[in-house]
Amino acid sequence: LLLRSYRGLAQIEPGFTPENLLSTRVSLPPTRYTDAARESAFNLQLLDRVRALPGVTSAAITSTPPLLGESSDTVFGIEGQGSELNIKQHVYFWQVSSDFLRTTRAGLLAGRPIEDSDVSSSPLVAVINEAMAKRYWPNQDPVGKRITLYWTTTQKSPWIKVVGVVKYVAMRQLNEEQISQAYIPMTQSGQDFPGTFNTYLLTRSTKDPERLT
């Protein structure tokens, strides 16, 4: 039975390519990095340095890596749905940098990924997963739709435009029920996305990534 279960898990598609992918927790002193803008600036400099290392093909920042299970979740609203809060509409959201999809090799199904041009001065955007698209926009194209994330019953984000759809990426375990996920640009964090988020560096290389540490 155990062998049969293992074989079953081995055949499940995790939604990303774990080979040659290294995840590293980044901890910054809170007394020095007091706001999201400073953290974002540090992370962008870190990415530039890591991407220049020999053997590194891509790198990205995320608030939680796949299969770690630390993603935050909240209630969200859909434009045109009405102003009443629907507590049954939950989404798990990850804050990521550009190149997140390229680094994890998560499959883009429609639209575009998070890009360098998605900054604090540009309209808020998100990439959602296929499970969320099918659940809330069945038989529709969700690209171009807008959502809002609730932080409290009265506090919520401005409208966020869906710009892309990706395959499901396993968050906690391979055989989990597929849940709604949204990926938000790290460079758009700040007052519109309150709270404290973890920071992880994802590095993909042509050789054993442990040799990079």
Side-chain angles (χ1 to χ4, degrees):
L1 178 61
L2 180 61
L3 180 59
R4 194 180 307 124
S5 298
Y6 174 77
R7 286 176 175 171
L9 288 174
Q11 294 175 356
I12 296 176
E13 172 59 51
F16 70 103
T17 304
E19 291 79 16
N20 288 349
L21 181 64
L22 176 69
S23 172
T24 308
R25 176 73 180 270
V26 179
S27 297
L28 300 177
T31 54
R32 182 175 179 182
Y33 296 90
T34 55
D35 54 51
R38 289 189 178 187
E39 289 185 18
S40 181
F42 172 88
N43 289 333
L44 292 175
Q45 292 177 2
L46 175 63
L47 286 173
D48 286 340
R49 295 178 63 180
V50 171
R51 288 166 179 164
L53 294 175
V56 172
T57 56
S58 62
I61 294 291
T62 177
S63 55
T64 182
L67 290 176
L68 193 61
E70 291 184 352
S71 179
S72 300
D73 73 302
T74 190
V75 175
F76 74 98
I78 300 174
E79 187 177 30
Q81 189 181 63
S83 57
E84 186 175 348
L85 181 65
N86 185 348
I87 61 173
K88 294 183 179 180
Q89 283 185 178
H90 267 260
V91 61
Y92 287 80
F93 63 96
W94 302 8
Q95 289 196 321
V96 301
S97 66
S98 63
D99 266 4
F100 174 80
L101 296 187
R102 180 187 174 200
T103 302
T104 58
R105 294 182 180 171
L108 182 67
L109 300 175
R112 67 167 177 87
I114 300 300
E115 298 176 343
D116 290 333
S117 58
D118 297 318
V119 294
S120 58
S121 59
S122 61
L124 300 181
V125 300
V127 171
I128 66 172
N129 71 347
E130 186 178 19
M132 184 173 178
K134 289 181 176 180
R135 184 171 295 126
Y136 297 106
W137 294 279
N139 303 315
Q140 298 182 58
D141 181 2
V143 175
K145 305 296 186 182
R146 298 203 301 175
I147 62 173
T148 182
L149 303 180
Y150 282 86
W151 313 122
T152 67
T153 55
T154 57
Q155 184 186 16
K156 60 182 181 179
S157 73
W159 288 113
I160 304 169
K161 184 179 180 180
V162 176
V163 295
V165 180
V166 296
K167 287 186 176 182
Y168 185 78
V169 176
M171 189 177 73
R172 293 190 179 94
Q173 55 191 26
L174 291 176
N175 59 348
E176 68 189 9
E177 178 185 358
Q178 293 196 2
I179 56 179
S180 298
Q181 299 168 326
Y183 301 90
I184 297 169
M186 169 194 74
T187 44
Q188 291 189 335
S189 62
Q191 62 179 4
D192 294 326
F193 300 98
T196 302
F197 300 92
N198 294 327
T199 301
Y200 290 85
L201 171 67
L202 299 179
T203 307
R204 182 167 294 283
S205 64
T206 56
K207 55 186 178 182
D208 181 0
E210 299 250 346
R211 298 176 61 183
L212 296 173
T213 60

